[in-house]
Amino acid sequence: MIRRIGVLTSGGDSPGMNAAIRAVTRVALASGIEVMGIRDGYKGMINGDFVLLDKSHVADRLDRGGTFLGSARLPEFKDDEVQQKAVEMLQANQIDAVVVVGGDGSYRGALALTKKGINCIGLPGTIDNDIPCTDYTIGFDTALNTVVEAIDKLRDTSSSHHRCSVVEVMGNHCGDLALYSAISCGAEIVITPETGFDESEVLERLKYLDGTLKKNHAIVIVSEKITDVDSLARKISTHTSFAGRSTILGHVQRGGSPTANDRVLASRMAEKAVDLLVKGQGGMCVGIINNEITATPIEEALSQARKSRKHLYRLFDRLV
Ligand code: ADP
Ligand code: F6P
């Protein structure tokens, strides 16, 4: 039987993490279980940076971006002794089990703790939507809406000046933010790890859009870590009749009030996490597949490839 669970947020923050902490707290308290907030992810876990959460601690948090518990990256958590220290700290504070909100790195930490006797459940908290065994991650919808709002504005000014906007979005090796925003904004070109990048192809395409289709603007959405968008914009200015301008959206994509979809998703997933811990289960990660909340062993999730997005790339190609 568990009497006290811990909750932490780890890795890059995402909008909806507060909603997840709130729901873990409220659902657990409703089941007679105490909740210990762990500050700054695994860093706070090994330092004993804990706060006992009551209902009022999580009031007025649902609509806030970021994570009020703080998040951090602690590379040393891969070490066995550091994990052992965490287990000792949890035991000393009577924390029987933990909900970890983060990405796949955070899941690995959760799995390691489970193997050492502290049941942990992972919730997918990242704007990147790069976690297997879930259709959506907590924060993706909000980040997507932030990107769409920004690109809609860029389109206005681009069309006034016969410009091509080259917009870099986040995603950390996953093209979902770029692809979904390209479909949402009616972009002319999308470049992601899945599409690959051929600079001369992009320039030829833009010449065709301008010369043959007489477009007065173009939007090129590029996933981060693929190419230098400033240099691509300069080449567009030199080799096409569009004036190229680059915009790196950066960390603005990580902030902001979570959308209703992210709040509901976080709350549903958090409820599942508490229910699993109450049943004595650990080493699982929660997902949403076809609108059903699911639980998958972390080991299995980490060994799986993400679902193909071929159908969405095909749709994008048919829309341009
Ligand atoms: P994310 O969770 O968003 O993928 P990171 O990859 O930065 O972000 O991981 C977050 C934290 O999870 C790391 O700083 C580290 O503390 C922990 N972590 C990452 N990989 C492992 C691992 N292989 N074993 C144990 N803990 C890990
Ligand atoms: O994983 C979320 C994310 O925002 C990625 O999209 C991006 O590559 C990375 O984190 C940026 O990390 P940092 O917070 O270290 O700048």
Side-chain angles (χ1 to χ4, degrees):
M1 204 182 98
I2 56 168
R3 277 176 306 206
R4 181 180 283 178
I5 62 174
V7 58
L8 64 81
T9 48
S10 165
D13 65 349
S14 69
M17 281 184 161
N18 280 325
I21 299 165
R22 170 185 179 269
V24 165
T25 305
R26 297 260 166 112
V27 171
L29 290 175
S31 313
I33 298 166
E34 286 183 339
V35 181
M36 194 71 107
I38 302 170
R39 292 198 185 92
D40 297 334
Y42 295 119
K43 195 167 157 200
M45 187 182 273
I46 59 162
N47 292 331
D49 197 355
F50 302 144
V51 52
L52 202 54
L53 298 175
D54 59 30
K55 265 185 119 172
S56 64
H57 279 106
V58 292
D60 284 334
R61 303 284 188 191
L62 185 58
D63 59 337
R64 308 289 169 87
T67 158
F68 81 92
L69 286 177
S71 188
R73 294 193 171 100
L74 181 75
E76 309 87 275
F77 204 70
K78 289 178 188 150
D79 300 347
D80 191 71
E81 306 104 80
V82 181
Q83 293 166 6
Q84 195 52 46
K85 193 174 167 205
V87 169
E88 283 157 22
M89 195 55 96
L90 292 170
Q91 285 167 343
N93 287 274
Q94 294 87 45
I95 299 172
D96 306 310
V98 182
V99 179
V100 171
V101 190
D104 56 346
S106 306
Y107 279 14
R108 288 177 212 279
L111 181 61
L113 290 173
T114 302
K115 287 184 174 166
K116 290 187 182 300
I118 305 280
N119 274 345
C120 292
I121 301 293
L123 299 190
T126 165
I127 65 162
D128 299 330
N129 212 35
D130 60 347
I131 308 291
C133 297
T134 188
D135 291 341
Y136 296 106
T137 57
I138 298 165
F140 174 69
D141 186 59
T142 307
L144 174 60
N145 279 283
T146 302
V147 172
V148 168
E149 196 186 330
I151 295 178
D152 285 347
K153 288 176 179 165
L154 287 170
R155 179 179 289 281
D156 291 343
T157 171
S158 299
S159 57
S160 306
H161 292 274
H162 194 67
R163 280 178 179 161
C164 170
S165 269
V166 183
V167 189
E168 181 184 292
V169 302
M170 282 185 168
N172 193 27
H173 307 297
C174 171
D176 279 14
L177 259 184
L179 172 62
Y180 280 69
S181 56
I183 292 172
S184 307
C185 299
E188 278 64 36
I189 298 177
V190 63
I191 299 164
T192 68
E194 292 86 358
T195 63
F197 174 52
D198 180 333
E199 189 180 272
S200 50
E201 221 175 73
V202 170
L203 296 174
E204 282 311 308
R205 175 82 188 145
L206 288 171
K207 280 185 207 164
Y208 170 76
L209 290 173
D210 179 35
T212 310
L213 297 189
K214 306 288 178 218
K215 290 243 178 195
N216 69 343
H217 67 254
I219 303 284
V220 179
I221 303 180
V222 189
S223 292
E224 63 177 348
K225 303 176 188 181
I226 292 186
T227 190
D228 178 348
V229 288
D230 290 335
S231 128
L232 180 58
R234 277 197 300 276
K235 284 193 181 142
I236 289 169
S237 296
T238 313
H239 296 285
T240 79
S241 65
F242 287 116
R245 290 290 187 278
S246 61
T247 304
I248 298 175
L249 291 180
H251 289 82
V252 73
Q253 296 162 93
R254 287 244 295 263
S257 178
T259 58
N261 271 335
D262 271 330
R263 297 179 201 189
V264 173
L265 181 65
S267 305
R268 291 179 72 191
M269 287 181 161
E271 178 188 43
K272 180 74 173 180
V274 173
D275 289 348
L276 289 167
L277 291 175
V278 168
K279 283 188 202 142
Q281 297 193 37
M284 312 280 282
C285 56
V286 175
I288 186 162
I289 298 174
N290 300 330
N291 204 26
E292 293 286 328
I293 298 293
T294 57
T296 310
I298 292 176
E299 245 160 354
E300 190 184 319
L302 291 178
S303 68
Q304 274 187 27
R306 283 173 54 257
K307 264 200 199 156
S308 159
R309 298 291 189 255
K310 262 192 189 150
H311 59 296
L312 291 177
Y313 283 104
R314 181 165 171 265
L315 169 64
F316 174 79
D317 285 343
R318 298 171 95 185
L319 291 173
V320 288

